[in-house]
Amino acid sequence: MFAKNEGTLDRVLRVVVGLVLISLVFIGPQTAWGWIGVLPLITGAIGSCPAYSVLGINTCGTKS
């Protein structure tokens, strides 16, 4: 459905950042802003970022 436009390192960093932000909902300042971590978590999991598509960025090594 979505063309892959994220490389491996990009995907790993997005998943880690997403998990860290989501964990802030449960520990730390416990604000709802931590739920913003769902976005990088999902884009890292599927390997496609809509903002990258709009801006023409591709960190993936292959054209898919």
Side-chain angles (χ1 to χ4, degrees):
M1 183 171 171
F2 297 106
K4 302 271 189 226
N5 60 5
E6 296 175 0
T8 304
L9 180 61
D10 194 4
R11 292 179 74 180
V12 168
L13 289 175
R14 285 173 182 264
V15 169
V16 168
V17 167
L19 290 173
V20 167
L21 288 172
I22 291 170
S23 72
L24 291 177
V25 173
F26 303 104
I27 58 172
Q30 297 179 345
T31 64
W33 283 102
W35 288 112
I36 198 77
V38 171
L39 292 173
L41 184 64
I42 290 172
T43 59
I46 64 172
S48 179
C49 177
Y52 276 14
S53 297
V54 170
L55 298 172
I57 299 171
N58 186 352
T59 61
C60 186
T62 61
K63 297 274 183 185
S64 322

